[in-house]
Amino acid sequence: MTKKILILGGSSFIGSHFRVILGKRVVPTYNSRKIPGGLKFDAVKQNLADVIKSPEIFEAAIILLGDTHPDSCAKDKIRSRKLNVESIIRIIKVLKKWQLPLIFTSTEFVFDGLKGNYSERVNPNPILTYGRQKLEVEKFIQENCHSYIIVRLGKVYGSDEGDGTIFTNWLKQIRTEKNITVAADQVFSPVFVDDVISAVLVLLEKKAWGLYHLGNDRGFSRRQLLELLMQKMGKKIKITGCSIDDFPLIEKRPKNVSMNTAKIRKVKGIHIRPIGEVLDLIIKKQP
Ligand SMILES: NC(=O)c1ccc[n+]([C@@H]2O[C@H](COP(=O)([O-])OP(=O)(O)OC[C@H]3O[C@@H](n4cnc5c(N)ncnc54)[C@H](OP(=O)(O)O)[C@@H]3O)[C@@H](O)[C@H]2O)c1
């Protein structure tokens, strides 16, 4: 019998794509948003071993759950730490006892954004609570586990209107507004959600344990991304560039968190689509 993949946080944006692509090969968990075939698991209040009774049916676990909003993490550091650090470490200890390989999704926000083009060899220095919490878990995994994959993801985007991601959010604005204001001074490494799923599956299949950066091969600002989308759509709308610091954010954002993704690109079978190629797909999908 083919073993299954446990998705902790199957109701997440990324988790929903794993579910679509892998179907019955995954067992997903959810907390507040019930999903078909999902197991209720509140990582703060429940123990994973009380929810999963037959761990031997799994080949690996992918940890996607957490508070993924930097401002929400900063607003209540104790609450967010309970979920993003304490509960995840508890989960990792259980997975280790079960000898299950794990995949942990970290973030480009482990960097301070002063330089950009960060490779896996650069020492992180998070300035956001969210980044510090992710880094704490990364370190725990590196010090305590053997069969693990940590993927630091750039900003993940989808292709379905209404999915709340960067390009699809702009589609409606481009159709209805005369002027769009976007930050022009924060640079990051966007990555298409389907490429995240396939890259993780390739790494897992190859048992290519370790730390990887997963994102576009160069950094982009929001302004550059919006210009690219408009160019592809053949639309011309006024863009007003502003600073990310103009937004009322609790913690100041790192400015250039773009990642060097050469390591993961060397793994045979991994394909990270250029943004232009995905934009064609997004535009084609529009009604
Ligand atoms: N999306 C990105 O751009 C991006 C970039 C870098 C890294 N990542 C990482 O990738 C992972 C998935 O991101 P995402 O954006 O897809 O996540 P998301 O849509 O924000 O979903 C968060 C997940 O956490 C679950 N959750 C929240 N509180 C929980 C609790 N107390 N117990 C158990 N589960 C709980 C949610 O379950 P319910 O909804 O059912 O409550 C949901 O499944 C995260 O670890 C994130 O840090 C994402």
Side-chain angles (χ1 to χ4, degrees):
M1 193 188 76
T2 319
K3 288 203 168 188
K4 294 187 185 277
I5 297 176
L6 177 61
I7 309 269
L8 298 163
S11 50
S12 63
F13 168 64
I14 298 174
S16 67
H17 286 263
F18 269 109
R19 286 191 284 123
V20 169
I21 290 170
L22 292 177
K24 288 198 168 18
R25 213 180 131 199
V26 302
V27 173
T29 71
Y30 66 92
N31 180 36
S32 61
R33 292 176 291 175
K34 201 168 177 184
I35 47 172
L39 300 172
K40 162 77 183 172
F41 173 51
D42 181 336
V44 175
K45 295 192 183 132
Q46 292 175 282
N47 206 315
L48 184 60
D50 294 333
V51 176
I52 302 294
K53 296 291 180 196
S54 311
E56 67 282 356
I57 69 163
F58 296 108
E59 63 171 292
I62 304 180
I63 305 170
L64 298 171
L65 62 83
D67 183 341
T68 60
H69 303 285
D71 263 14
S72 155
C73 295
K75 197 170 170 196
D76 190 340
K77 294 186 174 128
I78 294 174
R79 183 203 52 78
S80 60
R81 191 173 190 285
K82 277 201 170 106
L83 176 60
N84 284 355
V85 181
E86 292 168 25
S87 83
I88 306 263
I89 286 181
R90 261 198 319 274
I91 289 170
I92 292 165
K93 285 180 179 167
V94 174
L95 296 176
K96 193 180 169 195
K97 211 166 107 192
W98 291 342
Q99 296 183 322
L100 262 190
L102 67 93
I103 292 97
F104 177 65
T105 43
S106 187
T107 167
E108 58 193 344
F109 283 142
V110 295
F111 295 108
D112 58 18
L114 295 177
K115 285 203 176 120
N117 194 31
Y118 297 105
S119 79
E120 291 83 351
R121 288 185 304 276
V122 175
N123 264 341
N125 179 35
I127 60 170
L128 296 175
T129 302
Y130 171 65
R132 278 194 291 272
Q133 291 174 342
K134 286 286 189 185
L135 185 61
E136 196 174 335
V137 175
E138 281 190 15
K139 283 186 174 156
F140 181 85
I141 294 172
Q142 286 165 325
E143 284 162 15
N144 293 280
C145 303
H146 167 67
S147 309
Y148 69 82
I149 293 162
I150 298 171
V151 270
R152 291 189 184 135
L153 304 175
K155 193 171 221 16
V156 183
Y157 64 92
S159 59
D160 300 314
E161 204 160 345
D163 67 10
T165 61
I166 189 157
F167 294 110
T168 53
N169 278 349
W170 280 329
L171 290 175
K172 195 167 164 214
Q173 277 184 287
I174 291 173
R175 282 197 295 265
T176 56
E177 289 174 26
K178 290 198 170 69
N179 176 22
I180 304 179
T181 302
V182 283
D185 63 346
Q186 195 199 26
V187 174
F188 49 92
S189 306
V191 59
F192 183 41
V193 65
D194 288 2
D195 293 344
V196 172
I197 312 299
S198 60
V200 165
L201 294 175
V202 168
L203 292 174
L204 186 60
E205 200 197 354
K206 290 184 183 291
K207 299 189 190 330
W209 313 131
L211 168 69
Y212 297 89
H213 286 179
L214 178 48
N216 195 73
D217 63 354
R218 56 159 279 222
F220 285 90
S221 70
R222 278 181 185 73
R223 183 185 184 126
Q224 289 170 324
L225 294 173
L226 179 56
E227 280 167 354
L228 259 178
L229 177 62
M230 294 211 303
Q231 202 185 343
K232 283 272 180 190
M233 290 173 80
K235 296 260 182 186
K236 237 183 166 7
I237 291 160
K238 190 175 171 229
I239 301 178
T240 307
C242 67
S243 168
I244 189 79
D245 296 334
D246 294 339
F247 294 91
L249 300 165
I250 297 177
E251 289 177 330
K252 240 185 175 177
R253 295 293 186 268
K255 287 285 159 47
N256 185 349
V257 286
S258 61
M259 297 185 292
N260 181 319
T261 56
K263 180 179 173 186
I264 202 165
R265 284 169 194 274
K266 282 190 199 124
V267 179
K268 212 168 163 219
I270 293 212
H271 178 52
I272 306 164
R273 272 165 273 200
I275 289 180
E277 196 180 314
V278 189
L279 289 183
D280 289 335
L281 188 82
I282 292 175
I283 292 164
K284 221 158 95 189
K285 272 194 182 179
Q286 276 191 100

